[in-house]
């Protein structure tokens, strides 16, 4: 089976064949904070074909010659996993709180994701020092409280604690003419309480980020035989790594594509920035 590690993902997807774009160029047209996300779990060869088919319309984020970025995301939840339950049960007022570290660039943000009345994702973000990754300090907590209160979610930062960590390598593509984005995540692992579950290295998680109307990338994925899946990295991690949680559709999907949890590095182990 074809597989890609964190270091080989650019070659496995043939990202060198794409035109590059800077972060400012992509953010200028495709920094959607209010968007519809669609996710697909596809084999790596199919992902490479998708990249080839998008080459005429999409640019790849290029950071001084680097075309992938290592992400670490610590998710926060209540003692009784209120965020996890809200997503599994499909509640209208779903939410996520996380700190995200762009490891090679030593950049960090605190992010709050909610749903609007139409079911679209609304993401709010605030920059914090890289040393604040995995924590909700006073400034981050105030930001979280403001967004959750404005969204009508009866949770505060005082109710939250680190619940799981997700690590992966991402390639980000953007259609600069239409303002839509496609991300491809490989080497995906979920960590909790010293245990890890990993996505099959022969698969890639593809996300399209755009408007309610399917983007050209969605139509290409359908042509390639892919179908959207309801899958949250955080929900997958909790479903596989937390004993006693009720069974659900996401866990059944995850068991097909993720390894059995194993004992590994402790939660929130940091990857040194280059």
């Amino acid at each position: 089976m074809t597989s890609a590690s964190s270091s080989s993902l650019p070659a496995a997807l043939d990202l060198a064949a794409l035109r590059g774009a800077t972060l400012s160029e992509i953010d200028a047209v495709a920094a959607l904070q209010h968007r519809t996300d669609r996710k697909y779990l596809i084999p790596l060869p199919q992902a490479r074909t998708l990249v080839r088919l998008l080459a005429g319309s999409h640019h790849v984020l290029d950071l001084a010659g680097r075309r992938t970025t290592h992400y670490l995301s610590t998710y926060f939840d209540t003692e009784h996993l209120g965020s996890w339950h809200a997503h599994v049960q499909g509640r209208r007022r779903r939410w996520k709180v996380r700190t995200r570290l762009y490891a090679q660039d030593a950049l960090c943000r605190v992010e709050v994701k909610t749903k609007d009345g139409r079911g679209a994702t609304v993401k709010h973000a605030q920059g914090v020092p890289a040393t604040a990754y995995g924590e909700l300090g006073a400034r981050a907590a105030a930001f979280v409280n403001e967004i959750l209160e404005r969204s009508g979610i009866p949770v505060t930062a005082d109710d939250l604690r680190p619940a799981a960590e997700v690590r992966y390598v991402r390639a980000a593509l953007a259609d600069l003419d239409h303002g839509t984005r496609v991300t491809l995540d490989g080497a995906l692992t979920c960590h909790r309480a010293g245990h890890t579950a990993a996505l099959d290295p022969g698969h890639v998680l593809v996300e399209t980020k755009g408007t309610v109307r399917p983007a050209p990338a969605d139509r290409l994925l359908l042509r390639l035989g892919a179908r959207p899946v309801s899958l949250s990295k955080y929900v997958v991690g909790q479903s596989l790594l937390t004993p006693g949680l009720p069974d659900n559709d996401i866990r059944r999907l995850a068991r097909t594509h993720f390894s059995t949890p194993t004992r590994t590095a402790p939660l929130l182990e940091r990857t040194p920035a280059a």
Side-chain angles (χ1 to χ4, degrees), residues 97-259:
V97 174
R98 69 189 179 203
T99 55
R100 168 167 285 179
L101 179 68
Y102 303 81
Q104 294 132 304
D105 305 299
L107 298 175
C108 189
R109 306 198 310 179
V110 56
E111 299 180 345
V112 182
K113 296 174 71 174
T114 60
K115 293 285 187 180
D116 68 7
R118 298 175 299 170
T121 300
V122 184
K123 184 169 76 172
H124 309 266
Q126 181 182 85
V128 295
T131 53
Y133 171 69
E135 305 171 355
L136 290 179
R139 182 166 171 263
F143 172 73
V144 169
N145 287 340
E146 177 188 352
I147 301 303
L148 293 180
E149 182 179 7
R150 188 193 310 166
S151 302
I153 296 167
V155 174
T156 71
D158 287 341
D159 301 322
L160 303 177
R161 62 204 67 192
E165 184 179 59
V166 176
R167 308 173 188 175
Y168 55 95
V169 179
R170 167 167 290 182
L173 281 57
D175 182 337
L176 301 185
D177 293 327
H178 297 92
T180 58
R181 296 177 58 208
V182 181
T183 60
L184 300 99
D185 298 338
L188 171 61
T189 57
C190 304
H191 306 260
R192 180 187 177 277
H195 289 80
T196 294
L199 175 65
D200 168 20
H203 281 74
V204 173
L205 177 61
V206 177
E207 298 184 40
T208 63
K209 307 166 191 292
T211 62
V212 175
R213 185 175 182 179
D218 293 291
R219 294 191 287 273
L220 286 174
L221 284 158
L222 291 176
R223 280 173 45 195
L224 291 171
R227 295 294 181 269
V229 294
S230 177
L231 188 147
S232 155
K233 299 182 187 75
Y234 168 62
V235 174
V236 164
Q238 285 290 9
S239 297
L240 291 175
L241 298 172
T242 302
L245 290 179
D247 205 10
N248 56 79
D249 291 340
I250 293 174
R251 178 185 284 169
R252 287 188 284 273
L253 173 66
R255 284 173 175 164
T256 303
H257 296 287
F258 282 74
S259 65

Side-chain angles (χ1 to χ4, degrees), residues 9-183:
L9 188 64
L13 295 175
D14 195 19
L15 297 179
L18 291 175
R19 295 166 292 170
T22 65
L23 181 60
S24 59
E25 287 174 325
I26 289 179
D27 279 349
V29 297
L32 294 175
Q33 301 304 314
H34 190 285
R35 69 201 190 196
T36 297
D37 299 340
R38 297 177 179 86
K39 301 179 182 181
Y40 306 81
L41 265 177
I42 63 176
L44 190 55
Q46 198 175 66
R48 183 185 178 96
T49 299
L50 174 67
V51 170
R52 177 175 56 81
L53 294 173
L54 292 174
S57 57
H58 286 62
H59 291 67
V60 62
L61 175 61
D62 188 300
L63 300 167
R66 193 184 79 235
R67 296 196 161 190
T68 58
T69 299
H70 292 246
Y71 283 63
L72 285 77
S73 296
T74 293
Y75 288 83
F76 296 82
D77 211 334
T78 64
E79 179 181 2
H80 300 294
L81 302 181
S83 175
W84 183 90
H85 284 284
H87 280 264
V88 168
Q89 296 169 6
R91 296 179 194 167
R92 184 172 61 86
R93 289 184 175 173
R94 303 196 294 276
W95 55 277
K96 287 179 190 160
V97 174
R98 69 189 179 203
T99 55
R100 168 167 285 179
L101 179 68
Y102 303 81
Q104 294 132 304
D105 305 299
L107 298 175
C108 189
R109 306 198 310 179
V110 56
E111 299 180 345
V112 182
K113 296 174 71 174
T114 60
K115 293 285 187 180
D116 68 7
R118 298 175 299 170
T121 300
V122 184
K123 184 169 76 172
H124 309 266
Q126 181 182 85
V128 295
T131 53
Y133 171 69
E135 305 171 355
L136 290 179
R139 182 166 171 263
F143 172 73
V144 169
N145 287 340
E146 177 188 352
I147 301 303
L148 293 180
E149 182 179 7
R150 188 193 310 166
S151 302
I153 296 167
V155 174
T156 71
D158 287 341
D159 301 322
L160 303 177
R161 62 204 67 192
E165 184 179 59
V166 176
R167 308 173 188 175
Y168 55 95
V169 179
R170 167 167 290 182
L173 281 57
D175 182 337
L176 301 185
D177 293 327
H178 297 92
T180 58
R181 296 177 58 208
V182 181
T183 60

Side-chain angles (χ1 to χ4, degrees), residues 1-19:
M1 176 184 290
T2 303
S3 64
S5 66
S6 59
S7 60
S8 64
L9 188 64
L13 295 175
D14 195 19
L15 297 179
L18 291 175
R19 295 166 292 170

